[in-house]
Amino acid sequence: MEVYNEELDFNLISKILSSYLSIGRYQDALDFSVKIKEYDEEGIIYSLLITAFSKLNPFEESVKYAESLVPKVIHPIYIYRALGELYFERGDMEKAYKSYDLMIESIPEDNFTPRLLFAKLVRSKNFIDLSLRNDPLNECPAKNFHTKL
């Protein structure tokens, strides 16, 4: 019986990938991914790989890569977040908005811990209505009103 396996430790894996990204070693992050035996249910690890992939490949290929990962996880929250970031950085606000909306729709429960962080993220992008819809403390009737300010 195996007590600990670093290839299944999602925290360690995400820290390793984040370290590669922070020092610009994008190919090393992608190379490291072949050692990963299992991925988290929300796509955190995949989102880090999307970031690495996007630094080394054209935008269109990066979007296709990200979209190909969506069916591989149960709740593709972070994959949609990464897609939103790709579109936002490209200046495609409509597709960024749609990706962030899918990110929120992918959250399986109201008390999901990062929910307020996501509200802050979409607020920083000026997608106010998504921010209000994502805030579990907000009972505003506008939470289903979709308008980009």
Side-chain angles (χ1 to χ4, degrees), residues 20 43 58 60 64 90 107 113-114 141:
Y20 281 136
E60 293 79 16
K64 286 180 186 176
R90 180 77 168 213
I107 297 171
T113 306

Side-chain angles (χ1 to χ4, degrees), residues 65-80:
Y65 175 69
E67 289 173 343
S68 75
L69 298 174
V70 169
K72 295 185 177 199
V73 297
I74 296 171
H75 308 289
I77 303 163
Y78 290 88
I79 295 172
Y80 285 129

Side-chain angles (χ1 to χ4, degrees), residues 79-99:
I79 295 172
Y80 285 129
R81 178 184 175 175
L83 266 169
E85 293 297 309
L86 288 173
Y87 286 123
F88 189 84
E89 289 170 10
R90 180 77 168 213
D92 190 335
M93 297 305 137
E94 183 177 334
K95 288 185 179 176
Y97 182 94
K98 287 178 184 177
S99 296

